[in-house]
Amino acid sequence: MIALFRFILIFIKVFLNYFVINRLFLIFYYVFVAPLALMAQQTPVQVSAFLNPPYSLALYEYGMPGSNLLQVQLLLTDLTKNQYPVKLRLIVEGVGITIKTKSTFLPQPIPLSGGTPYILTAEDLQPYFSLENLDLLGISKRDYQRLGMLPEGFYRFTIQVLDYYRSSVVSNSAMAQAWIILADPPFLNYPMKEEKLIARDPQNIQFSWSPRQQSPNLGLTEYTLQLFEILPEGSNPYNTAASTQPYFETTTYNTAYFYTLSDPMLVPGRQYAWRVKAANTEGYDRYKNDGYSEVRAFRWGDACEEMLNVTVTPFSTFVKITWEPQFGQTQFKIRWHSAKPGATVWTETTNLDFFIIKDLVPGETIAVSVAGMCGSITGLYTPEFEVTTLYVEQEVTDFECGKPTIMETLTGSPPLQQVYPGMRFTNVGGWELEVIEVESSENGVFNGTCWWTIPMFK
């Protein structure tokens, strides 16, 4: 009996507690919650707002034509009203920053009709994001204009609808929020900083970089590769990039670019600087440093120096060019053409430190230049040398057709130690012998090729 009695008491106690708690809940609901819910249901206008990526820290971009960064929709729930004029109140809140529509701002009225949704375009929102119609707290207008955007951080956008004439709130508060940060610009991979590349012919350099944006809100990204020539030698590459026009520039959606023969030729031994700019294809700025990466310098191989001590010696029917080879030069190119307009340009390659241009006529003028080759790389040509072959008047000896000519024996004391192209021997039957090339020599006997000049035939 005692146990049964205790059970009945516990049951009554639990029942009473449950009854009392529920009554308190009902009282709280009908006194506090229900009126608020009723008020929410009775607001004439329902507003909704959504932020769409890529998010922006520049307020003006939310009002740019065609922008879909902020979507706002209004709905007049009172079906009895037609052409009800309203306006908006915009509130942008960040850490220590509040931006709010000026109370004195009077935009064009937004006409709402009962039961018909009204979707605001970027053009409709543009006046609300104009700096002249906003009050700024926590950041000065001058600082905002200098930066062109808000500081990075978490932001909440609130849209309220006001009666156009009374400026009283007639809607709920629609909120949209986002963590808005700027992405880091690309990281440069290759060429490395201050690296000396191997100058190849044909030229082939792979420029590569890595994207560093971690947010998926950036949309499609394009990259602009810029290449600068550093002049004078040793200049700061950042100053070069900031003060000179690019030597080469191209835009790609890839994270690498192959610089080949179809691109401007690089000069061996010279310094170049490069950087990459990332940009959103929709025209919005989402990157630190305006999307520019660091600036890196590299050197394109070793310089193939210009030829020194070039000497051009004319003879009557050929020209001899000599020069002083420079370090690293393995071959040499000789380029010449007649001084007459439109003449054909001829080019020859040699391993020697001299070259002879043959088959000329006395009094002929040609232009000659020389370049050294470092492996497969051709260095700079020297300025052109203009030279005119010699016209030599010879003393005409008695000559009778059919009469044998007595050839005098060439003697020398001491014997000749060397015979070289361009060397002349005279008094050979009254004619002139001019050495073209020497093929071999042994014990003072020289074999080769020469020209005989016959004065009567010029």
Side-chain angles (χ1 to χ4, degrees), residues 126-353:
Q126 189 277 331
Y128 293 94
F129 284 97
S130 178
L131 203 59
E132 62 185 10
N133 301 324
L134 295 170
D135 287 325
L136 282 68
L137 180 63
I139 181 173
S140 68
K141 185 175 296 187
R142 177 179 299 178
D143 288 341
Y144 176 82
Q145 290 174 326
R146 177 176 55 85
L147 297 173
M149 63 182 67
L150 297 171
E152 299 176 82
F154 181 84
Y155 285 90
R156 180 172 61 236
F157 290 69
T158 302
I159 301 293
Q160 296 176 335
V161 180
L162 310 181
D163 184 277
Y164 189 79
Y165 297 107
R166 295 179 297 166
S167 296
S168 58
V169 178
V170 294
S171 74
N172 60 308
S173 294
M175 297 182 185
Q177 52 197 22
W179 180 265
I180 309 178
I181 59 174
L182 296 177
D184 291 318
F187 177 80
L188 303 185
N189 295 329
Y190 183 83
M192 302 293 289
K193 185 177 182 180
E194 301 297 340
E195 182 176 5
K196 183 171 75 172
L197 305 179
I198 299 175
R200 295 184 174 90
D201 187 17
Q203 64 184 10
N204 188 358
I205 308 172
Q206 180 184 2
F207 292 94
S208 64
W209 55 92
S210 298
R212 289 196 291 176
Q213 63 267 26
Q214 298 180 356
S215 171
N217 301 324
L218 290 170
L220 188 60
T221 302
E222 64 180 13
Y223 302 96
T224 300
L225 168 66
Q226 293 181 327
L227 183 65
F228 303 86
E229 185 175 1
I230 299 180
L231 294 173
E233 178 83 10
S235 299
N236 187 304
Y238 283 91
N239 294 340
T240 299
S243 60
T244 62
Q245 291 296 318
Y247 182 74
F248 169 78
E249 182 175 277
T250 187
T251 300
T252 177
Y253 292 109
N254 301 317
T255 56
Y257 182 80
F258 289 90
Y259 194 89
T260 62
L261 189 63
S262 61
D263 299 315
M265 297 298 295
L266 304 185
V267 179
R270 292 193 180 177
Q271 274 189 309
Y272 296 89
W274 70 292
R275 67 180 180 182
V276 175
K277 179 182 180 179
N280 182 272
T281 55
E282 298 177 4
Y284 304 130
D285 184 6
R286 300 289 180 270
Y287 291 86
K288 298 175 183 176
N289 194 36
D290 199 26
Y292 283 107
S293 69
E294 63 173 320
V295 181
R296 280 190 182 176
F298 68 92
R299 188 177 297 275
W300 178 235
D302 292 310
C304 200
E305 299 291 347
E306 186 176 312
M307 307 300 300
L308 296 179
N309 299 325
V310 178
T311 302
V312 181
T313 306
F315 296 91
S316 60
T317 57
F318 66 93
V319 169
K320 182 179 182 181
I321 308 105
T322 61
W323 55 81
E324 181 181 327
Q326 300 299 298
F327 174 78
Q329 293 175 341
T330 55
Q331 288 183 308
F332 309 93
K333 282 188 176 181
I334 301 88
R335 185 172 64 189
W336 77 94
H337 60 87
S338 172
K340 298 178 181 179
T344 302
V345 178
W346 304 93
T347 303
E348 291 287 347
T349 303
T350 180
N351 297 322
L352 305 176
D353 59 357

